[in-house]
C-alpha cells in the first residue's frame, strides 16, 4: 500500500513538472512583460495631435523557421513548434494587441519545397500563430521563404504573395500610424521583375507621405494618407552595418560571431539601398530580423533600428520579441524575453533527481524494529 501511494505521488509530481515546464512557465515569464509607456518629452511637436487618440499596440517577431521535410527531425519539429506556439499564444492571452508582424523566414524550406508542402506550411503557420478576431497579423518575406535574390523565380515570389497575402511592398495605416512592409530581397536595385515594381511602390508611398504633409505639386489623390506621421519600416534584412560588433543587447550574437564582417545583400541590405530608404521614407523606427541575434542602433540621430532575434529556440537559446506602443507623434518599444531553454532543462533535471531520491527512500526495504532488536540480542 505504501509503495502504491509513493508511486502515485511520483506520478503526480511528474505531471506537475511537465505541466510547469511545458505550459505554466510561459505565463510566469511573459506576464513580466509590460507594454511600454509613451514619454511626453519624446513627442514630435511638429505633428498635430488629438487629445484622446488611442495608441496602437503592436508585436514583432522574426525567423520562426518552421521546419520542413528535408532538414527537420520530427521530434525537433514537434519540440520547437510547441515552444513557439505556447510563447505566442501566451502573449495573445496576457497582452492583447492590435497587430502582429512576422518579419520573414517564416518557413525554413520555403525556398525549395514543392507546392503541396508549401500549402502544408501555410496551414501550420496559421495553426501555430492564430490571433483573436480583433487582432491582425501580417508577414514579410524572408530569404528562406523564397530564396535569396538570385534564386527567386516569379513562381516562388507569387506563391508566397498569394499564400501569405504578403505583397512585396505594403503600407498599413492604423489610427494614422503608417507601417511600411518591404521584401528585402527586392531591394537589389538591378531593375529585375522583382526590384523594379518594388522601387516604384516604395516611391509611391514616399510621395503619398509627402502629400500628406502638403509637400509637392502633383498630389491629386489627397485621400491616400489622411494624416501624416513618420512611418515604421519593417523588413527582413537589417540596414547596412559592417558587423554585429556595435550591438550590445542581452540577446546579442556570441562574441565569436560579432566580429565577422557582414556581406551586403546577404547578411544585411546594401549600403546604397539603406541610404535610399532612409532618404525617401525618413522612418522613425526600423524593425528587422534575419541575423537571429538582437541589435539596436541609431541612424541619423533620431532613427532607431531594432534587429530582433529568432523566435525559435532552435536558432537562439534566449529568444525574444519586440512590443511597441504607437501614436502618430510618439512611440515606445521594449523587448520581451521568452523562457530560456537551458533553464527549463535545469528544472527538469533537478526535479527528476528529487523525484528519484524520493522514490529510492520510499521503496527501499524496511524491517521491523523488533527484528533488528532481536538480532542484536542474539
Amino acid at each position: 500500500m505504501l509503495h502504491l501511494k509513493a508511486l502515485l505521488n511520483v506520478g503526480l509530481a511528474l505531471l506537475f513538472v511537465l505541466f510547469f515546464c511545458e505550459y505554466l512557465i510561459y505565463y510566469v515569464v511573459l506576464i513580466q512583460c509590460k507594454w511600454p509607456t509613451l514619454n511626453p518629452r519624446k513627442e514630435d511637436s511638429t505633428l498635430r495631435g488629438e487629445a484622446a487618440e488611442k495608441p496602437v499596440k503592436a508585436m514583432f517577431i522574426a525567423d520562426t523557421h518552421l521546419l520542413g521535410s528535408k532538414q527537420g527531425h520530427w521530434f525537433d519539429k514537434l519540440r520547437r513548434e510547441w515552444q513557439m506556439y505556447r510563447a505566442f499564444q501566451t502573449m495573445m492571452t496576457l497582452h492583447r494587441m492590435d497587430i502582429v508582424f512576422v518579419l520573414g523566414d517564416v518557413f525554413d524550406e520555403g525556398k525549395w519545397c514543392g507546392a503541396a508542402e508549401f500549402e502544408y506550411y501555410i496551414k501550420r503557420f496559421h495553426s501555430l500563430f492564430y490571433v483573436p478576431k480583433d487582432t491582425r497579423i501580417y508577414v514579410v518575406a524572408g530569404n528562406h521563404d523564397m530564396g535569396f535574390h538570385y534564386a527567386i523565380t516569379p513562381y516562388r515570389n507569387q506563391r508566397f504573395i498569394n499564400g501569405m497575402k504578403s505583397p512585396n511592398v505594403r503600407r498599413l495605416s492604423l489610427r494614422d500610424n503608417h507601417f511600411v512592409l518591404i521584401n528585402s530581397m527586392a531591394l537589389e536595385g538591378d531593375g529585375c521583375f522583382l526590384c523594379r515594381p518594388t522601387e516604384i511602390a516604395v516611391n509611391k508611398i514616399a510621395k503619398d507621405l509627402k502629400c500628406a504633409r502638403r509637400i509637392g505639386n502633383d498630389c491629386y489623390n489627397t485621400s491616400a494618407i489622411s494624416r501624416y506621421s513618420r512611418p515604421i519600416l519593417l523588413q527582413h534584412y537589417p540596414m547596412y552595418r559592417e558587423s554585429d560588433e556595435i550591438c550590445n543587447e542581452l540577446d546579442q550574437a556570441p562574441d565569436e560571431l560579432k566580429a565577422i564582417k557582414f556581406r551586403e545583400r546577404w547578411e544585411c541590405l546594401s549600403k546604397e539601398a539603406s541610404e535610399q530608404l532612409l532618404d525617401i521614407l525618413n522612418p522613425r523606427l526600423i524593425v528587422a530580423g534575419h541575423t537571429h541575434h538582437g541589435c539596436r542602433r541609431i541612424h541619423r540621430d533620431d532613427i532607431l533600428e531594432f534587429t530582433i532575434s529568432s523566435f525559435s529556440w532552435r536558432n537562439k537559446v534566449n529568444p525574444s520579441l519586440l512590443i511597441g506602443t504607437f501614436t502618430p507623434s510618439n512611440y515606445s518599444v521594449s523587448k520581451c524575453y521568452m523562457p530560456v531553454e537551458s533553464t527549463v532543462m535545469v528544472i527538469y533535471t533537478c526535479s527528476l533527481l528529487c523525484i528519484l531520491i524520493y522514490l529510492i527512500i520510499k521503496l527501499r526495504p524496511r524491517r521491523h524494529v523488533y527484528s533488528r532488536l532481536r538480532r542484536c540480542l542474539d
Side-chain angles (χ1 to χ4, degrees):
M1 188 66 182
L2 288 175
H3 289 180
L4 183 61
K5 185 178 179 180
L7 291 174
L8 180 61
N9 289 337
V10 167
L12 291 174
L14 288 173
L15 286 175
F16 177 77
V17 172
L18 184 67
F19 175 72
F20 180 83
C21 291
E22 301 300 331
Y23 185 87
L24 194 59
I25 192 171
Y26 294 94
Y27 286 89
V28 173
V29 173
L30 293 176
I31 200 171
Q32 302 173 51
C33 187
K34 304 296 182 184
W35 285 104
T37 56
L38 298 173
N39 185 349
R41 290 180 295 179
K42 294 184 177 181
E43 187 162 0
D44 189 344
S45 59
T46 63
L47 300 176
R48 63 186 188 278
E50 297 177 8
E53 61 187 10
K54 181 182 178 183
V56 171
K57 293 182 177 180
M59 182 174 83
F60 309 86
I61 64 174
D63 297 278
T64 55
H65 283 273
L66 300 185
L67 294 176
S69 59
K70 294 183 179 180
Q71 295 185 337
H73 186 272
W74 70 267
F75 182 76
D76 192 24
K77 183 188 300 184
L78 176 67
R79 178 75 179 148
R80 304 312 175 191
E81 290 187 4
W82 170 256
Q83 290 169 329
M84 289 189 287
Y85 170 76
R86 278 277 28 106
F88 188 87
Q89 295 306 329
T90 301
M91 284 297 296
M92 292 297 106
T93 302
L94 294 176
H95 307 286
R96 285 300 181 94
M97 57 207 68
D98 299 295
I99 197 164
V100 177
F101 296 101
V102 185
L103 303 182
D105 279 0
V106 182
F107 313 130
D108 194 56
E109 299 177 14
K111 56 187 176 181
W112 58 54
C113 70
E117 186 172 358
F118 193 81
E119 288 298 320
Y120 179 54
Y121 255 143
I122 294 172
K123 291 179 182 178
R124 282 165 56 202
F125 171 81
H126 289 297
S127 174
L128 293 171
F129 303 111
Y130 68 84
V131 296
K133 291 182 179 180
D134 56 348
T135 301
R136 291 187 278 175
I137 185 168
Y138 295 95
V139 175
V140 173
N143 55 287
H144 274 264
D145 300 317
M146 60 175 66
F148 284 102
H149 176 269
Y150 70 91
I152 297 175
T153 63
Y155 168 74
R156 287 179 185 169
N157 177 55
Q158 199 60 45
R159 180 175 72 173
F160 189 84
I161 290 173
N162 295 341
M164 301 302 293
K165 296 180 175 57
S166 175
N168 290 320
V169 181
R170 167 186 265 167
R171 173 182 59 83
L172 297 168
S173 295
L174 185 58
R175 298 180 206 136
D176 297 317
N177 294 279
H178 310 300
F179 300 89
V180 179
L181 290 68
I182 301 180
N183 180 347
S184 298
M185 290 78 69
L187 296 174
E188 197 82 4
D190 60 359
C192 69
F193 79 94
L194 191 64
C195 298
R196 182 57 183 159
T198 297
E199 182 181 347
I200 293 172
V202 172
N203 285 326
K204 172 66 167 56
I205 292 173
K207 178 185 173 183
D208 290 342
L209 288 167
K210 286 183 178 179
C211 288
R213 299 177 66 188
R214 307 295 187 266
I215 299 175
N217 299 320
D218 54 346
C219 298
Y220 304 111
N221 186 10
T222 56
S223 62
I225 296 178
S226 59
R227 179 184 175 191
Y228 174 77
S229 66
R230 291 176 66 187
I232 299 98
L233 177 59
L234 308 177
Q235 56 194 20
H236 182 59
Y237 290 178
M239 303 295 267
Y240 171 80
R241 61 176 181 259
E242 290 189 355
S243 69
D244 269 349
E245 281 188 302
I246 61 172
C247 306
N248 186 23
E249 296 287 300
L250 187 61
D251 57 348
Q252 66 186 11
D255 291 338
E256 62 270 19
L257 298 180
K258 290 182 70 173
I260 297 177
K261 299 299 181 182
F262 281 3
R263 299 167 296 172
E264 295 183 47
R265 302 179 177 90
W266 291 85
E267 284 81 36
C268 62
L269 289 181
S270 68
K271 190 172 185 179
E272 179 184 6
S274 300
E275 292 297 325
Q276 286 179 346
L277 288 175
L278 294 175
D279 286 339
I280 65 176
L281 291 178
N282 187 29
R284 48 177 162 155
L285 174 68
I286 303 168
V287 188
H290 187 52
T291 66
H292 296 177
H293 306 293
C295 189
R296 174 167 49 180
R297 62 179 302 202
I298 299 289
H299 300 273
R300 301 182 180 181
D301 297 329
D302 67 341
I303 302 174
L304 178 62
E305 179 188 4
F306 269 97
T307 305
I308 51 179
S309 61
S310 174
F311 194 65
S312 173
W313 279 259
R314 192 172 192 257
N315 302 320
K316 191 71 178 172
V317 295
N318 56 335
S320 65
L321 54 90
L322 190 72
I323 58 174
T325 305
F326 299 89
T327 66
S329 58
N330 203 353
Y331 77 92
S332 182
V333 293
S334 65
K335 276 187 181 180
C336 293
Y337 291 93
M338 290 175 279
V340 180
E341 190 171 38
S342 58
T343 302
V344 175
M345 293 299 104
V346 168
I347 294 173
Y348 267 128
T349 303
C350 293
S351 299
L352 290 176
L353 284 175
C354 291
I355 291 171
L356 182 61
I357 292 171
Y358 169 83
L359 199 59
I360 292 172
I361 293 174
K362 289 295 182 180
L363 297 184
R364 68 177 181 177
R366 294 189 176 186
R367 298 174 181 177
H368 293 292
V369 176
Y370 79 88
S371 299
R372 293 199 298 269
L373 181 61
R374 183 178 178 181
R375 190 183 304 112
C376 291
L377 292 175
D378 291 342

